[in-house]
């Protein structure tokens, strides 16, 4: 398991529709994720060329190379 970064990334909460249900999702820019940052779904990770959707019951974590790892709880 990765060591957590000391400061959390800046995030916002935005509404999303998932399975016909309205949810509050965390929105974060990928460039703000540091090694060890973990975001629990529902979440949107925004990047210049695309968006990663992290559904409920999943999380995403950034490693030292900047790779995103998604894991189901």
């Amino acid at each position: 398991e990765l060591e957590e970064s000391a400061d959390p990334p800046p995030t916002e909460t935005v509404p999303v529709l998932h399975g016909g249900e309205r949810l509050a999702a965390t929105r974060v820019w990928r460039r703000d994720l540091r090694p060890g940052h973990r975001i629990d779904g529902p979440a949107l990770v925004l990047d210049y060329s695309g968006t990663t959707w992290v559904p409920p019951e999943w999380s995403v974590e950034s490693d030292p190379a900047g790779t995103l790892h998604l894991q189901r709880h």
Side-chain angles (χ1 to χ4, degrees):
E1 189 163 307
L2 298 173
E3 183 178 321
E4 287 191 26
S5 181
D7 297 317
T11 61
E12 297 178 276
T13 301
V14 296
V16 296
L17 285 177
H18 176 70
E21 183 180 353
R22 187 178 176 109
L23 302 175
T26 300
R27 181 170 64 184
V28 62
W29 282 96
R30 184 174 182 168
R31 67 177 176 251
D32 293 329
L33 294 176
R34 301 291 175 255
H37 279 156
R38 177 181 160 166
I39 305 292
D40 292 327
L44 299 168
V45 181
L46 307 178
D47 203 353
Y48 71 93
S49 64
T51 301
T52 301
W53 165 241
V54 184
E57 301 180 17
W58 286 72
S59 63
V60 63
E61 190 167 353
S62 181
D63 72 13
T67 303
L68 299 179
H69 298 269
L70 280 86
Q71 181 176 5
R72 189 170 189 158
H73 302 272

